[in-house]
Each structure stands twice: as structure tokens, then as C-alpha cells.
Amino acid sequence: TSEPGAGTSFYFTIPYERQNIVPLPVIEKPADKRFVFTEKKTILVAEDIDSNFQLVRYFLSGTNSDIIRAANGKEAVEKCLSNKGIDLILMDIKMPVLDGYTAAKQIRETNTTIQIIAQTAYADDNTYAIECGCTGFISKPFDKKSLLKIVHEFI
């Protein structure tokens, strides 16, 4: 039906057959096994944003690891050079004073074996991070499972 100045109404019918729905059985996921290092590990987290650092520390709690924080790239380099017991570095890329790329390059000048995992919200940074000396990469935001998987992969 149509009326000038008032609009048009359309009516139609769609054929419909009711389906019998059979519920699928519920499959319970096995409980996640907690990831715990057999030997104490030291992880340096280079992260300028406090809430991001707190989240990483929370994700790594209970893994038998000591967590050290560096609030910028310069501090990360200094802590890495002064503490030979660091097993892994989680390196934020966008930081004040010294960015993660430059910090990784400077660390590589004296330590070619330490594992450095770049962490950034910019997924296209992956290739450049590896070129700068990072050995792995994790995109932000990440969840606990993703973080533990990559940490386990490198130490």
C-alpha cells in the first residue's frame, strides 16, 4: 500500500519450518595446568605504563620467577648489564628516554644470548624488532595463556 506524502508499506510471508534442536553434549575443558619453572628464573619487564607492568607481573605470579621492572629503555639496558642473572627480557617497544628497539640493540652489543621478547600494540613492528635483536614477539593486548606460552618457548 502506498499513500503520497505518507510512505509505502510492504507485506510479505516467509516460509518457516520449525526445526527440532538436539542439544550437543557439554564437553568440559580440562583444567589449565599451571606453568611453573622447575628452577627459579629472573625476568626483566621493561614497561613504562604501571598498569601494564602490574598485569604482566600478575600473569607471571606463581611461576617461580623473580620479576624486575625497568620503566624505560635506558633503565632496561642498565639493569641488564648490571644483573647477569636475568633469563629473559619482556621489552616494550614504545617507551620514554630510550625506545625498546634501541635498548635491544644496546643489550645485544654485550649480551648475544639473552632472550628478548618485544611487546607492542603495533603488529607491524615484528620484523624490525627481530632486526634490532629481539628473539621473539608478542602483540598487545595479550592474555595470560599467550604470555606464558611465549615465555615458556624462550626459557
Side-chain angles (χ1 to χ4, degrees), residues 15-23:
Y16 172 73
E17 290 183 29
R18 186 175 186 122
Q19 300 291 321
N20 289 332
I21 298 174
V22 178

Side-chain angles (χ1 to χ4, degrees), residues 38-98:
T38 54
E39 296 177 10
K40 189 79 147 182
K41 300 293 181 184
T42 301
I43 300 173
L44 173 63
V45 179
E47 175 62 65
D48 60 316
I49 299 172
D50 189 59
S51 59
N52 290 349
F53 169 73
Q54 296 299 336
L55 183 63
V56 170
R57 185 170 70 176
Y58 173 74
F59 284 167
L60 294 172
S61 64
T63 61
N64 193 25
S65 59
D66 286 327
I67 308 301
I68 302 170
R69 181 181 185 188
N72 60 61
K74 183 175 185 259
E75 193 177 319
V77 172
E78 291 168 355
K79 288 188 178 192
C80 185
L81 296 178
S82 67
N83 186 344
K84 301 298 181 193
I86 295 174
D87 298 293
L88 175 85
I89 301 171
L90 290 170
M91 181 74 72
D92 185 26
I93 295 300
K94 308 292 186 213
M95 289 188 292
V97 183
L98 190 68

Side-chain angles (χ1 to χ4, degrees), residues 101-113:
Y101 298 126
T102 307
K105 287 178 186 177
Q106 289 183 11
I107 291 168
R108 284 286 174 239
E109 290 174 6
T110 58
N111 188 332
T112 58
T113 59

Side-chain angles (χ1 to χ4, degrees), residues 134-152:
C134 295
T135 49
F137 183 87
I138 187 167
S139 294
K140 290 180 179 179
F142 48 80
D143 59 11
K144 182 176 182 176
K145 183 178 178 181
S146 300
L147 179 64
L148 292 180
K149 179 181 177 188
I150 198 156
V151 166
H152 180 66

